[in-house]
Amino acid sequence: MYEFSYHKPASVADAVKLLSADPEARPISGGMTLLPALKLRLSKPTALVDLSGIAELRGIRRDGGTIVVGALAKHYEVATNADIKAAIPALAWMASTIGDTQVRNRGTMGGSVANNDPSADYPAALLALGATIQTDRRKLSADEFFTGMFSTALDTGELVTAIHIPVPEKAGYAKMKNPASRYSMAGVFVARGPAGVRVAVNGAGANGAFRAPQMEAALQANWSPDAVAGVKMDPAMMNGDIHGSAEYRAHLVTVMAKRAVQNAG
Amino acid sequence: MPQVSLTVNGTRHTVEVEARTLLVELLREKLRLTGTHVGCDTSQCGACVIHMGGDSVKACTILAVQCEGASITTIEGLAKPDGTLHPMQEAFREYHALQCGFCTPGMVMSAIDLVNKHPNGLTEQEIREGLEGNLCRCTGYHNIVKAIAAAADVMQGRRSELARAAE
């Protein structure tokens, strides 16, 4: 690891001040993506701003028809939280499949969302559920927030503080894990609720998580696994690499969409 | 240099570290607790798993400075002062759940967290999935899974002592 300095602010305002003063500083919460990257010297921040001491970023609560997840909520908390299990069981189950136990004990929803790794699980869920991402200065819809592989609408020094998720009528998730790395090769989250029928895909896209409008139209007309079984995805939109060709991933998306609808019931 | 104060196996330590020092480096190099192993550089192998506030975490993927005020348990902190092994350690011995032993400290620490988080017992599949973050290159996992099931019975009071492994 390269050298860096370390700060542990106690408020969002102080964290934003530190990050805004130094564009080469990076925020860290669980660090489950950032620390492995630092160990491999893939990243060279001047400073790490540790968000873990900021109480206002913690907690998960239900607020009427919305689940509000603090940015520091760990995957293990999302997987086991009673409100999420009751209101959006597909999201709790998704969280229980992220990484391994040790990653789930440290990694946070805010960190995963802000990093927008193309193989991360949450971006597809937030797109499909029509979530709103709250930052220290504004609110962004998931559609506005995720702008491509490892890319978001966040400005320098801007922090995700909470994620607001409307409770759906139905939601389901299915993914094909890479047999060695366990990262998503193709994952599909389907939801029917206040935001309409929405379908989003992780792991497979050439430019990160994306929505699948043809599948949304098919499910809007007929909410059943058969409705998406006939929807073919365009391989030109998919990522092809040593783990699977773009054609294979396009095929997987259709299969996972079918399973996700089955899981949603 | 930054200072970090933390409790390791019940003993309070205050140690000077660089910001980039990993917890596993603090444990092994500063505190000489070399039971926590490093088997990879990529956060994949799980040989370095310890407990932080009761949760299993990879000590190679957390900075020492992030552990200010934390309570850490390592493999050295499991046995009683008189040398009596923790039921999980005893089960690994009885069930021959190790060959070279390199992954064992991490396996044992992950297994104890797994059992603690499933107070009503574990299925074989839950044990196997619970070990996703730990790699073993010799045993083929079967005896590890058997050992964890047997230790869970003792830890959760379903048996008063460890079931003997079949010869």
Side-chain angles (χ1 to χ4, degrees):
Chain A
M1 248 187 282
Y2 295 111
E3 276 190 284
F4 48 79
S5 59
Y6 173 82
H7 307 279
K8 193 172 179 184
S11 71
V12 171
D14 286 349
V16 169
K17 205 178 291 174
L18 286 162
L19 290 162
S20 301
D22 178 1
E24 300 302 315
R26 294 288 306 272
I28 183 166
S29 53
M32 293 296 98
T33 304
L34 181 55
L35 283 169
L38 293 178
K39 284 162 63 176
L40 295 172
R41 294 192 163 186
L42 296 174
S43 174
K44 193 180 179 182
T46 50
L48 292 187
V49 177
D50 185 351
L51 307 179
S52 68
I54 304 178
E56 60 197 288
L57 298 180
R58 291 214 189 90
I60 298 170
R61 63 192 162 86
R62 183 165 182 157
D63 182 3
T66 305
I67 296 284
V68 182
V69 182
L72 284 182
K74 296 182 169 92
H75 309 323
Y76 178 75
E77 295 173 66
V78 174
T80 55
N81 178 269
D83 284 331
I84 296 182
K85 280 169 80 173
I88 323 177
L91 182 66
W93 182 73
M94 168 187 266
S96 80
T97 70
I98 296 172
D100 54 40
T101 302
Q102 292 73 35
V103 165
R104 295 192 290 274
N105 282 341
R106 294 283 305 159
T108 66
M109 187 184 282
S112 170
V113 165
N115 191 48
N116 195 17
D117 185 307
S119 296
D121 290 84
Y122 288 136
L126 302 193
L127 285 167
L129 291 163
T132 301
I133 289 95
Q134 170 84 58
T135 78
D136 60 276
R137 60 200 72 169
R138 56 184 170 154
K139 286 183 175 182
L140 292 157
S141 70
D143 291 303
E144 296 166 314
F145 183 86
F146 298 112
T147 54
M149 189 181 293
F150 293 112
S151 168
T152 70
L154 289 172
D155 289 330
T156 302
E158 185 173 11
L159 286 176
V160 173
T161 57
I163 295 101
H164 297 249
I165 308 171
V167 175
E169 292 160 40
K170 284 181 179 220
Y173 180 56
K175 74 172 159 181
M176 173 66 87
K177 289 180 172 186
N178 179 301
S181 74
R182 321 303 280 164
Y183 280 112
S184 170
M185 299 273 293
V188 178
F189 200 100
V190 299
R192 190 174 80 191
V197 172
R198 292 164 66 111
V199 178
V201 179
N202 63 35
N207 193 28
F210 65 94
R211 282 174 65 193
Q214 295 157 284
M215 288 186 168
E216 292 177 355
L219 287 175
Q220 182 77 52
N222 172 21
W223 181 272
S224 81
D226 290 345
V228 282
V231 179
K232 298 274 175 264
M233 301 301 290
D234 180 3
M237 286 181 66
M238 303 296 159
N239 174 33
D241 58 22
I242 56 164
H243 306 296
S245 65
E247 289 74 16
Y248 176 60
R249 280 197 171 84
H251 174 74
L252 276 183
V253 171
T254 300
V255 176
M256 292 304 122
K258 222 167 74 176
R259 290 185 193 168
V261 179
Q262 269 162 0
N263 291 343
Chain B
M1 266 204 289
Q3 272 196 345
V4 59
S5 294
L6 71 177
T7 303
V8 180
N9 301 331
T11 305
R12 181 107 174 145
H13 298 272
T14 299
V15 189
E16 273 200 347
V17 292
E18 286 186 82
R20 62 180 168 174
T21 301
L22 297 167
L23 174 60
V24 73
E25 293 166 345
L26 182 155
L27 294 172
R28 289 180 56 86
E29 293 164 21
K30 304 264 184 188
L31 305 185
R32 309 302 294 169
L33 293 170
T34 54
T36 301
H37 291 168
V38 179
C40 73
D41 281 331
T42 48
S43 308
Q44 287 166 308
C45 80
C48 68
V49 171
I50 52 91
H51 292 178
M52 182 166 167
D55 293 326
S56 63
V57 302
K58 291 181 179 173
C60 77
T61 313
I62 180 165
L63 299 170
V65 287
Q66 290 177 288
C67 302
E68 177 63 37
S71 178
I72 307 284
T73 305
T74 70
I75 190 77
E76 290 92 343
L78 293 182
K80 291 188 182 149
D82 70 359
T84 307
L85 293 180
H86 185 283
M88 191 62 75
Q89 292 172 303
E90 190 61 46
F92 268 62
R93 181 164 73 180
E94 172 64 23
Y95 283 76
H96 194 64
L98 60 148
Q99 286 182 30
C100 85
F102 194 88
C103 73
T104 308
M107 286 284 179
V108 168
M109 299 310 286
S110 288
I112 291 171
D113 184 31
L114 183 66
V115 172
N116 288 342
K117 298 251 166 77
H118 291 81
N120 302 317
L122 283 149
T123 64
E124 183 190 328
Q125 189 179 345
E126 284 171 327
I127 294 173
R128 289 182 181 276
E129 287 177 357
L131 294 179
E132 264 189 335
N134 294 79
L135 301 180
C136 169
R137 302 317 312 237
C138 349
T139 69
Y141 300 97
H142 291 307
N143 286 352
I144 295 174
V145 173
K146 288 180 196 164
I148 294 171
D153 284 343
V154 176
M155 289 167 66
Q156 297 174 336
R158 287 183 296 275
R159 291 183 65 97
S160 60
E161 59 183 54
L162 199 66
R164 293 290 138 213
E167 287 301 323

